[in-house]
Amino acid sequence: MARQNLETEILYGMDFIPRGSVPAPREVELLPSTDDRDAQPRLDEIEARFATAFPICESLSGATQPVFGEGNPEADIVFVGEAPGADEDRLGRPFVGAAGTKLDDIIKAMGLSREGVYIANVLKARPPGNRNPLPDEVDAHAPYLVEQLLAIRPKVIVALGRPAAHFLLGTHEAISRLRGVWGVWRHGEVAIPVMPTFHPAYLLRQYTIEVRTQVWNDMKQVLSKLEESLR
Ligand code: URA
């Protein structure tokens, strides 16, 4: 068993998956989307509109460029984080710093690739000193996230950390209570399952077997939900 776990870790090339836990299927077969909506032009239009409004809030005037989001416009999974940090602000891309490396590990452990999923944030401009988003900032930026989600219409949303979970689920419950339990993001007729989990930055700070197992269990639920939706 120990040997098998070691091989699993070598196979995935990372130590994220806690020893003793069951690996995910190496590849999740994701079928192409069945409808013919073309999300990319819509995403381009939303991005251009945000760029014109950037940074929207006076309180975010220190941000140097928009960080809109990136990935597969037809993705079955959208990961939603909190806000860009310094690295993301410098490169104009989401999750490219230390937390991004950990998110990459998680995606890879799921048998997926960064190019196959979509990654976005609630805030699309960096808050000074990486402080938590203010309610006014969420109010100003989140409509763009809503439009992104409506354009992509993923089968599952993963809420990375508290601000994303709070916005998507309309709750103020602690992330430790929310994580691991399916919620639903609703917008008009649209209802998409949301799996809240710990933010990769928290995982980095608390790189314990317990937290890694919790996040990995949450991701296995996401993979099961996807498999169910493809049946
Ligand atoms: N943390 C986030 O929530 N988003 C990023 O893009 C980077 C770090």
Side-chain angles (χ1 to χ4, degrees), residues 67 80-85 88 93-97 99-100 119-121 160 199-201:
V67 181
V80 178
E82 174 178 332
E88 289 76 21
R93 296 179 54 208
F95 281 98
V96 288
I119 302 174
N121 283 303
L160 299 167
H199 193 283

Side-chain angles (χ1 to χ4, degrees), residues 16 18 21-22 179-180 182 195 197 209-224:
F16 163 67
S21 56
V22 179
R179 69 139 284 276
W182 285 107
M195 174 51 66
T197 194
I209 296 282
E210 189 192 356
V211 175
R212 281 159 59 196
T213 304
Q214 286 171 324
V215 173
W216 184 230
N217 286 342
D218 300 346
M219 295 308 100
K220 283 194 290 186
Q221 287 204 65
V222 168
L223 291 171
S224 301

Side-chain angles (χ1 to χ4, degrees), residues 137-148:
E137 293 166 351
V138 174
D139 289 348
H141 287 237
Y144 294 91
L145 172 64
V146 168
E147 289 196 64
Q148 276 174 307

Side-chain angles (χ1 to χ4, degrees), residues 64-179:
T64 66
Q65 60 178 323
V67 181
F68 181 69
E70 67 182 25
N72 179 357
E74 315 285 332
D76 285 329
I77 308 183
V78 174
F79 290 86
V80 178
E82 174 178 332
D87 294 309
E88 289 76 21
D89 181 66
R90 191 164 45 80
L91 296 173
R93 296 179 54 208
F95 281 98
V96 288
T101 304
K102 199 42 70 190
L103 178 59
D104 288 348
D105 278 356
I106 293 169
I107 292 169
K108 193 172 162 209
M110 294 170 80
L112 303 172
S113 69
R114 196 175 159 114
E115 296 69 38
V117 302
Y118 195 91
I119 302 174
N121 283 303
V122 177
L123 254 57
K124 301 183 186 312
R126 182 192 180 211
N130 293 340
R131 65 155 165 71
N132 292 333
L134 303 174
D136 282 0
E137 293 166 351
V138 174
D139 289 348
H141 287 237
Y144 294 91
L145 172 64
V146 168
E147 289 196 64
Q148 276 174 307
L149 294 173
L150 292 176
I152 300 167
R153 305 249 181 146
K155 296 196 169 76
V156 175
I157 301 170
V158 177
L160 299 167
R162 186 183 54 181
H166 283 186
F167 171 71
L168 291 165
L169 300 175
T171 174
H172 285 98
E173 194 77 68
I175 187 68
S176 54
R177 292 179 70 93
L178 292 172
R179 69 139 284 276

Side-chain angles (χ1 to χ4, degrees), residues 24-41:
R26 184 76 184 114
E27 295 293 342
V28 180
E29 290 294 328
L30 300 180
L31 299 177
S33 182
T34 47
D35 59 27
D36 61 0
R37 84 203 131 79
D38 193 353
Q40 191 58 61

